[in-house]
Amino acid sequence: MDCPFYDSNGWNGDQNLIQRWQAVAYNVRFEEILDYTDMLAGQLAGLVQNAELDNPPQLGPTELHALIWGAAKMLWQIGEYRRAVASAADAVEWYGRQQTSRHDIEGVSVWQEAFSDRPPEPGRPRLRWPGDPTHKSVNSMNRGLLGFGVGVQQTIRNQATHGQEQEYAPQEALERLGALSLLARWIDECNLDEASPVVPVPTNGQPAAAV
């Protein structure tokens, strides 16, 4: 059965659809009209699907981690994209210090200390990916966080703040904010690993207070 709206070359867009439908209504059986309708519905569904594939969802900066967008928003809105990235990078560095209570360090040291593979020490807690630390994927994530944090600091924060690069295009800035947002989200997912308090040895038979 031939469809009056669709031929071997695809959708017959040169036809007047109302006239063609009238021709169908007067010259074919009701069952054939239903078949035509199903065929048209399938064709339209295919066109919609192709259109969606050709036009992927557009993600904007407002979908970023609240910390990142909050730090970048005002500068972003006036077109200061590089400064927006620098502000967001400073915010995530501050966030790393805040989560570990390490206000005595800055720069790459924040991430080297937070994600260090060494055990925590008094006043030097670590951020650990949740799960069994001996599991391959958890161990890989912990090692990767160290490299990622340091890398973000050196390639995004330092370049936006001290580098010789020109003003960023919106897409360039958005990609950098995306990396900062990912780091902030991973920090949120980490557990804080702190050293056990040191209990001094009792003296003169009197229990000593824990330090």
Side-chain angles (χ1 to χ4, degrees):
M1 178 180 65
D2 295 327
C3 175
F5 303 107
Y6 189 81
D7 57 27
S8 60
N9 295 319
W11 181 261
N12 196 340
D14 295 332
Q15 302 294 336
N16 183 305
L17 295 182
I18 295 177
Q19 292 178 351
R20 299 299 292 174
W21 184 257
Q22 289 174 338
V24 171
Y26 285 118
N27 294 289
V28 300
R29 294 179 297 106
F30 180 72
E31 290 80 3
E32 292 180 323
I33 293 177
L34 293 179
D35 290 339
Y36 291 142
T37 303
D38 290 341
M39 185 179 297
L40 288 172
Q43 178 69 8
L44 289 172
L47 292 173
V48 170
Q49 184 178 29
N50 289 336
E52 291 175 345
L53 292 174
D54 291 338
N55 297 282
Q58 301 297 313
L59 301 179
T62 57
E63 304 300 318
L64 298 169
H65 189 284
L67 173 75
I68 301 305
W69 179 233
K73 181 178 179 179
M74 293 184 64
L75 291 164
W76 182 277
Q77 291 177 335
I78 61 174
E80 296 281 348
Y81 301 117
R82 179 170 173 168
R83 290 178 60 204
V85 171
S87 178
D90 285 341
V92 79
E93 180 187 327
W94 168 87
Y95 195 44
R97 294 199 304 267
Q98 188 76 7
Q99 295 300 99
T100 56
S101 299
R102 293 299 305 273
H103 301 291
D104 57 321
I105 54 177
E106 61 182 15
V108 296
S109 297
V110 174
W111 313 115
Q112 289 170 336
E113 285 290 310
F115 298 125
S116 171
D117 59 359
R118 298 189 300 274
E121 302 172 19
R124 303 175 73 177
R126 314 297 185 195
L127 292 175
R128 303 294 192 213
W129 194 251
D132 181 357
T134 64
H135 192 280
K136 183 177 181 180
S137 63
V138 176
N139 180 265
S140 176
M141 192 69 188
N142 281 319
R143 289 186 287 110
L145 283 168
L146 172 59
F148 188 72
V150 171
V152 162
Q153 188 77 22
Q154 293 177 326
T155 63
I156 297 179
R157 191 272 177 188
N158 290 354
Q159 295 306 309
T161 305
H162 308 300
Q164 302 300 312
E165 297 172 319
Q166 301 300 316
E167 177 61 87
Y168 296 148
Q171 182 63 32
E172 294 176 311
L174 183 59
E175 290 169 358
R176 287 164 172 78
L177 291 179
L180 295 169
S181 177
L182 183 57
L183 179 56
R185 293 191 193 281
W186 279 342
I187 291 173
D188 287 343
E189 294 185 53
C190 284
N191 296 323
L192 185 66
D193 186 13
E194 299 181 89
S196 300
V198 177
V199 179
V201 178
T203 58
N204 302 323
Q206 298 297 323
V211 176

